Amino acid sequence: MKTNRVVRTPGGLSLRVDVRALVVGVLLLLVALTASVMLIGTGDFPIPAADVIRTLLGEGDPGQEFIVTELRLPRVLVGLLVGASLGLSGALFQSISRNPLGSPDVLGLGQGATAGALVMIVLFSGTANQVALGALVGGLVTGFAIYVLAWKRGVHGYRLVLVGIGVSAIVTAVNGYLLTKSDIVDAARAIVWMTGSLDGRDWDQVWPLLALCAVLVPLVLANSRGLRVMEMGDDVSYALGVRVERVRMLLMLSAVLLTASATAASGPVGFVALTAPQLARRLTLPRCFKGVGGAPMPGPNLVPSMCMGAALLVTADWISQRAFGAEQLPVGVVTGVLGGVYLLWLLVTERKAGRI
């Protein structure tokens, strides 16, 4: 089954297009946008989907315009950006490590960002912006530590995952210690933040995350060819002219920044970075391209992973508001439950295939 097409422009340029991945990406984007419209219309003052669309186009009444653009739209945009960032960072780490468990959730980047936020909450009683900055710095420091500890003539798959698991355990212990040293007010505030939630998000969280994505996403996509070649091994990549360590370090830094900024904006929302790339691969790769044991063949699938992450997070947020009546759950609880079930299924299938 041929899924790639070559598009040639009148100027002589050619571009290879994966038709299946393009179709899946468009469908996932439509799912994310549909869920976003439904989410905007959900709340104490429900708004029909048609009125939401009309208001977004600037044709709503003043009351609906205030509710949509000032109260609910920023929350949804943060959800879309956080989901897309986590989906992209998960795809990068899984491709670099060549391991389906190589995601920020497993490597400890979320826990590192949490440690930075806890330091600002517990030790300095920081404001919301200071907590976000602490989470960003904590994620970057943890990513740097993992890279240095995993380095041995390069950074390779299972060593990266194992070092990440070890660092995650250490940082989790530090987080527990910080909670025991905090007073009851700061501890309650920290627990709320650690759950992962989109409640109360406004335009102050949208613009920094949007600016960072506008810089990092094109940078990552520009290096996607090198990432795909690297999945065949470092020796082959060097032979094909890819600067392996330069590309790997650049993409890992981008993934760490995406994860840390997403965590800073919403708290540690679990398992989106783990599940989104895997689900995207299973949708974009036809059955005839499956490898031994039914595992998907290599391929980063960056854009479908972004769209899948955005769709997963806004759908989970809609579920958290609608499925439990008045008892609304933080979105991190919903993604944690769904992601935990998926992780167990993934471990079982990997073990049956003899890969772990």
Side-chain angles (χ1 to χ4, degrees):
M1 179 179 178
K2 187 175 181 181
T3 61
N4 291 330
R5 298 291 186 273
V6 177
V7 178
R8 292 182 173 84
T9 65
L13 297 176
S14 62
L15 178 66
R16 190 180 68 175
V17 178
D18 189 329
V19 177
R20 186 186 182 100
L22 179 62
V23 171
V24 170
V26 170
L27 292 177
L28 289 174
L29 184 59
L30 290 176
V31 170
L33 293 178
T34 301
S36 299
V37 171
M38 296 171 61
L39 185 57
I40 291 175
T42 300
D44 294 333
F45 185 80
I47 302 176
D51 291 339
V52 171
I53 296 175
R54 190 179 303 112
T55 302
L56 291 174
L57 295 176
E59 299 177 357
D61 60 58
Q64 291 179 339
E65 184 173 352
F66 174 78
I67 293 173
V68 169
T69 59
E70 296 298 326
L71 299 181
R72 298 180 183 174
L73 181 60
R75 174 192 179 118
V76 172
L77 290 178
V78 170
L80 290 171
L81 291 170
V82 168
S85 299
L86 293 176
L88 180 57
S89 64
L92 289 173
F93 274 117
Q94 290 177 16
S95 183
I96 289 171
S97 65
R98 284 178 278 175
N99 191 318
L101 298 179
S103 78
D105 303 304
V106 178
L107 297 179
L109 294 176
Q111 290 86 341
T114 301
L118 286 178
V119 167
M120 299 306 299
I121 294 174
V122 174
L123 300 183
F124 301 102
S125 298
T127 63
N129 290 333
Q130 291 171 337
V131 172
L133 178 61
L136 183 62
V137 173
L140 291 174
V141 170
T142 304
F144 177 77
I146 293 172
Y147 187 85
V148 171
L149 293 173
W151 174 271
K152 185 179 180 181
R153 295 189 297 274
V155 176
H156 303 285
Y158 279 101
R159 187 164 65 243
L160 176 66
V161 174
L162 292 175
V163 169
I165 292 173
V167 171
S168 175
I170 294 172
V171 177
T172 300
V174 171
N175 292 343
Y177 173 78
L178 289 173
L179 285 175
T180 62
K181 290 299 181 181
S182 61
D183 59 47
I184 187 64
V185 175
D186 287 338
R189 181 185 174 196
I191 290 296
V192 170
W193 188 89
M194 291 171 61
T195 305
S197 175
L198 298 176
D199 291 343
R201 298 306 184 264
D202 56 26
W203 293 104
D204 291 338
Q205 284 83 38
V206 173
W207 298 121
L209 191 55
L210 181 61
L212 192 67
C213 288
V215 174
L216 293 180
V217 171
L219 179 64
V220 168
L221 295 181
N223 289 274
S224 61
R225 176 189 173 276
L227 180 64
R228 183 176 292 274
V229 173
M230 284 164 53
E231 290 191 336
M232 295 186 289
D234 289 359
D235 293 338
V236 175
S237 302
Y238 280 121
L240 293 175
V242 177
R243 298 180 178 179
V244 175
E245 287 307 321
R246 177 181 176 274
V247 173
R248 182 181 286 132
M249 184 172 63
L250 178 64
L251 293 178
M252 284 187 65
L253 177 60
S254 299
V256 169
L257 282 171
L258 288 167
T259 302
S261 60
T263 305
S266 64
V269 178
F271 289 106
V272 173
L274 175 67
T275 57
Q278 290 297 310
L279 293 175
R281 286 190 180 195
R282 282 166 168 77
L283 290 175
T284 55
L285 296 176
R287 292 182 182 273
C288 61
F289 286 174
K290 296 295 180 68
V292 178
M297 293 288 284
N301 290 312
L302 301 179
V303 174
S305 296
M306 288 176 55
C307 297
M308 177 65 77
L312 283 177
L313 193 54
V314 294
T315 302
D317 195 31
W318 181 81
I319 292 173
S320 71
Q321 294 190 51
R322 294 296 298 268
F324 302 95
E327 299 295 331
Q328 296 183 7
L329 293 179
V331 66
V333 175
V334 178
T335 60
V337 172
L338 297 177
V341 173
Y342 177 80
L343 177 59
L344 291 175
W345 175 82
L346 179 62
L347 290 173
V348 170
T349 55
E350 289 290 301
R351 183 174 180 178
K352 287 182 177 179
R355 290 186 288 271
I356 60 174

